[in-house]
Amino acid sequence: MIALTLRKSMRAVEQDRLLWAVLALFLLLVFGAGWLKPLFASLFPQLQRPLYDHDSFASLVLAHLQIVVLSSIAATVVGVSAGVFATRAAGREFRPLIETLVSAGQTFPPVAVLAVAIPLIGFGVAPALIALALYGVLPILQATLAGVESVPAPALEAAEGLGLNRWQRLFGVELALAAPVILAGVRTSVIINIGTAAIASTVGVKTLGLPIIVGLSGFNTAYVIQGAVLVGLLAVAVDLAFETLQRRLVRWQSTR
Amino acid sequence: MAWVKNRVLLVLVGAGAAAAAGLPFLTHAPNRLVLGTGISLAATIASSAEAARAWALATIAAPALLLAASVFVRPGRAAHLGVIVCATVLLTGFVSLAGIHAAQLASIANELAPGANPDIARTSFGGSFWIVAVLSWLTASDAIARLGLKPVSRLLATAAVVAPVLICLAAGWLDQLSLLKEYAHRADAFSTALRQHAEIVVASVVPSLVIGVPLGIASTRDSRWMNAMRTPLFAGLNVVQTIPSIALFALLLAPLALLAARVPMLGRLGIKGVGLAPAVIALTLYALLPIVRSTAAGIRQVPRPVVDAATGMGMSPRQVFWKVEAPLAFPVFAAGLRVATVQTIGMAVVAALIGAGGLGAIVFQGLLGGALDLVLLGVLPVVAMALVVDAVLATLASSIGVR
């Protein structure tokens, strides 16, 4: 038993270390891209400009994160509230409909939502934000339904027995116990949004996808690699950060 | 509000009525360059010819009123069937009225300026069209779900809801809508793109099945090698799944281009940096995680006592696998295959960015030109393909396997 716990905590430390390593590599590439210019110049001798320098990578990362964070916050607020509504007595009737909507909605490719939003709403950041937020709701809503559902009935009865009111039961028991499942939904949503935000660069939205798109249309493979490595590392780093967060959350729950 | 018997339907009907009253049903522009003006549903019906107006009243007003009335009917089998029929008629009415009115607008334009090319006028679906179409479909599928049908009947019922729309399409009623005009302009390119898209999906899902299923089965077996490999295997597949598709496509571009330059033989086989090869490799890698995971999960959820009993009856390990484990694991595996296929259909759109073709090429062409109709011409078949595959595999999953 002790050995198992020890191994588990060692794995946790290892994963934390991996997160820091990926994050460090990402930041190093973002801020130290200038030092890599000779490397790309020697890899692609035929390119006149082997390093993407229309925008600084740091500004691209900030713009990318801004879109993802704003749309994910909106998606979380809407998704969790809709999920809570569908699990109350007043909203239970709507649950099958919401489930149909969520499962059919998820067969839509996220790119499709983006592609339809842009000509409808216009060019710029707004359609990307709206499309990402809309699509991002689905996994969070699904996770909230599953998470609240999985709260054991005895826990609810105990909370009622303790005299907690509706809101205290919702926040103190149901959402608190469902939190890891909801967080997993948020993680899925955020990772999808990071990828879809990159694709928004096809219509000129400033994100880490821009070097990829500029590189693809200008036959500059160096740009393509620079953008792709950064987007990939960003997604992996955020995913690992969510994993750490989930682990902390479960540990915090078990010590309470 | 005790007399409201179906609050879900009340919300759906209310939202539909609000959309129909407040948003344009169609938008019409004399040519592609001008911004279209909206035409409301009421204006569309009022300005229609006699026959079209009667058709609209029969297929839109009547089912809409009946749906509104069913809000006050206690839900039951008959009520659900009625709702399904009304929603289907309403969906058909909306689609056909749009097509008929577009044709009328085209003929008016032709009378006003007989010499002008009628092809340049653009009549597109407006906001209320999309909202009511989606709401009718949701209403129908909610009622179908409440009927509690068997999987195959459920699939057939869903198909029956969509069938009239496809008939309108095949009958040529919708030909004057700009979506169909875009199609007519590039019918050949469209069918090539559709075929390419299907090819990319098959070429990615089949290899991931060939690799993923044995890998998933192996991961459930106890051996020293597998015990050591299991964690890194799933961790690796997880990382691949995390990397955004655009990044993975792009990352495969450079090494493949380099490889093709070094080994000309490969280049002649069609393996080069840009095009199909990186797309298919990346999509295969993406599809591996759901397939390996669902294969492993399917086998692991087979109850131990069942396997022990089969072994006790004298079945060989091979027989235990084929007669016990495989059938019991199938529904879980099929769910994974469904996720993998639907995901591949969607991601293949992005593959157009690296020159793999497919429907994504049409989508991005439309995006760059700001042409919504062109985007829709690419997106709608992708969504239709995903929905059909999803429905068929879901039906397969629930009707094959455990009895």
Side-chain angles (χ1 to χ4, degrees):
Chain A
M1 188 59 211
I2 295 169
L4 191 72
T5 325
L6 200 67
R7 221 166 71 197
K8 254 192 188 159
S9 63
M10 266 170 68
R11 259 193 65 196
V13 170
E14 244 169 61
Q15 271 166 345
D16 276 359
R17 220 177 264 163
L18 188 63
L19 167 64
W20 294 121
V22 172
L23 215 55
L25 181 61
F26 177 70
L27 291 175
L28 196 71
L29 288 177
V30 168
F31 291 104
W35 304 324
L36 290 175
K37 199 167 178 175
L39 172 71
F40 281 104
S42 69
L43 273 175
F44 301 96
Q46 74 282 13
L47 293 177
Q48 285 186 341
R49 301 168 69 162
L51 192 72
Y52 185 82
D53 50 9
H54 302 278
D55 310 272
S56 73
F57 287 119
S59 73
L60 292 179
V61 171
L62 274 182
H64 199 124
L65 283 179
Q66 197 183 353
I67 293 177
V68 172
V69 168
L70 286 178
S71 60
S72 297
I73 288 174
T76 308
V77 171
V78 175
V80 173
S81 340
V84 167
F85 168 72
T87 48
R88 299 305 96 183
R92 193 144 293 160
E93 225 180 314
F94 289 87
R95 189 165 171 170
L97 184 75
I98 290 179
E99 277 172 348
T100 310
L101 196 64
V102 166
S103 65
Q106 279 176 319
T107 56
F108 265 67
V111 198
V113 183
L114 184 74
V116 172
I118 287 169
L120 268 185
I121 304 167
F123 286 74
V125 184
L129 271 177
I130 294 173
L132 263 60
L134 271 181
Y135 194 84
V137 167
L138 303 176
I140 299 174
L141 177 50
Q142 194 169 37
T144 308
L145 289 176
V148 173
E149 187 84 327
S150 69
V151 173
L156 282 177
E157 284 155 20
E160 212 166 334
L162 283 172
L164 298 185
N165 69 27
R166 269 200 315 173
W167 295 103
Q168 286 170 325
R169 283 207 305 268
L170 174 62
F171 287 103
V173 182
E174 288 183 273
L175 287 182
L177 286 176
V181 183
I182 297 177
L183 192 62
V186 175
R187 176 178 174 183
T188 309
S189 171
V190 168
I191 296 301
I192 292 175
N193 278 353
I194 290 178
T196 316
I199 297 168
S201 283
T202 43
V203 288
V205 177
K206 198 170 144 186
T207 74
L208 277 175
L210 207 52
I212 303 179
I213 304 298
V214 172
L216 282 174
S217 55
F219 300 101
N220 189 325
T221 314
Y223 287 5
V224 175
I225 294 176
Q226 288 149 20
V229 167
L230 288 181
V231 175
L233 278 177
L234 178 65
V236 172
V238 170
D239 192 56
L240 286 171
F242 266 105
E243 195 165 309
T244 306
L245 199 63
Q246 269 173 303
R247 213 173 33 239
R248 297 263 157 89
L249 190 66
V250 171
R251 206 187 313 154
W252 171 76
Q253 274 185 338
S254 63
T255 55
R256 240 172 29 132
Chain B
M1 294 234 291
W3 28 273
V4 172
K5 299 287 191 279
N6 189 339
R7 290 194 307 141
V8 178
L9 195 58
L10 177 70
V11 169
L12 289 170
V13 171
L23 290 170
F25 173 63
L26 290 171
T27 61
H28 179 76
N31 60 58
R32 234 176 132 154
L33 304 172
V34 201
L35 214 59
T37 45
I39 310 170
S40 70
L41 180 63
T44 306
I45 296 179
S47 67
S48 285
E50 198 75 35
R53 199 176 311 152
W55 171 255
L57 289 177
T59 59
I60 294 175
L65 288 175
L66 280 173
L67 279 176
S70 347
V71 168
F72 309 104
V73 176
R74 186 169 295 285
R77 208 180 153 76
H80 291 324
L81 278 173
V83 167
I84 296 170
V85 172
C86 286
T88 309
V89 174
L90 185 61
L91 182 63
T92 317
F94 254 67
V95 173
S96 57
L97 182 68
I100 293 167
H101 199 73
Q104 191 188 335
L105 287 174
S107 73
I108 291 173
N110 213 19
E111 272 168 34
L112 288 177
N117 181 3
D119 265 5
I120 56 171
R122 287 270 173 277
T123 309
S124 317
F125 298 124
S128 71
F129 172 85
W130 291 113
I131 292 178
V132 173
V134 169
L135 288 176
S136 320
W137 183 78
L138 269 180
T139 308
S141 45
D142 182 55
I144 291 175
R146 284 169 187 237
L147 271 179
L149 298 171
K150 288 212 175 68
V152 177
S153 329
R154 197 172 163 163
L155 182 68
L156 290 176
T158 313
V161 174
V162 200
V165 174
L166 297 178
I167 293 172
C168 288
L169 191 67
W173 286 16
L174 313 180
D175 284 354
Q176 291 303 321
L177 285 163
S178 57
L179 181 65
L180 272 291
K181 281 189 181 173
E182 294 286 4
Y183 167 73
H185 281 307
R186 57 196 96 224
D188 289 339
F190 177 82
S191 53
T192 313
L194 190 65
R195 207 194 53 236
Q196 275 176 346
H197 205 92
E199 279 169 6
I200 296 174
V201 173
V202 173
S204 312
V205 174
V206 170
S208 67
L209 278 176
V210 171
I211 306 167
V213 173
L215 213 56
I217 296 170
S219 81
T220 60
R221 300 300 184 236
D222 236 2
S223 73
R224 248 182 73 188
W225 186 78
M226 203 59 235
N227 288 344
M229 282 305 292
R230 198 170 294 128
T231 315
L233 170 72
F234 283 99
L237 291 176
N238 254 322
V239 170
V240 171
Q241 198 78 14
T242 307
I243 297 174
S245 54
I246 188 175
L248 192 56
F249 288 139
L251 283 177
L252 287 171
L253 212 76
L256 283 176
L258 218 64
L259 201 67
R262 293 281 152 79
V263 193
M265 178 68 190
L266 288 175
R268 254 175 276 137
L269 286 173
I271 298 184
K272 36 187 198 287
V274 176
L276 217 54
V280 167
I281 295 174
L283 292 173
T284 305
L285 288 174
Y286 279 122
L288 270 180
L289 178 70
I291 286 176
V292 174
R293 195 163 51 188
S294 63
T295 308
I299 292 181
R300 247 183 258 125
Q301 51 96 46
V302 175
R304 194 72 226 172
V306 177
V307 176
D308 289 343
T311 315
M313 282 165 64
M315 283 192 187
S316 69
R318 183 183 288 260
Q319 281 173 319
V320 171
F321 176 75
W322 285 110
K323 300 215 161 134
V324 180
E325 288 181 304
L328 286 173
F330 186 81
V332 180
F333 161 75
L337 175 61
R338 189 174 148 198
V339 170
T341 316
V342 167
Q343 171 189 294
T344 309
I345 292 172
M347 281 182 171
V349 172
V350 183
L353 284 178
I354 52 163
L359 292 162
I362 298 178
V363 173
F364 287 114
Q365 200 187 339
L367 261 185
L368 294 176
L372 179 61
D373 293 306
L374 201 51
V375 171
L376 286 175
L377 184 64
V379 164
L380 289 178
V382 171
V383 171
M385 205 188 265
L387 285 173
V388 169
V389 167
D390 188 58
V392 169
L393 286 178
T395 310
L396 264 183
S398 47
S399 49
I400 302 182
V402 243
R403 286 148 302 255

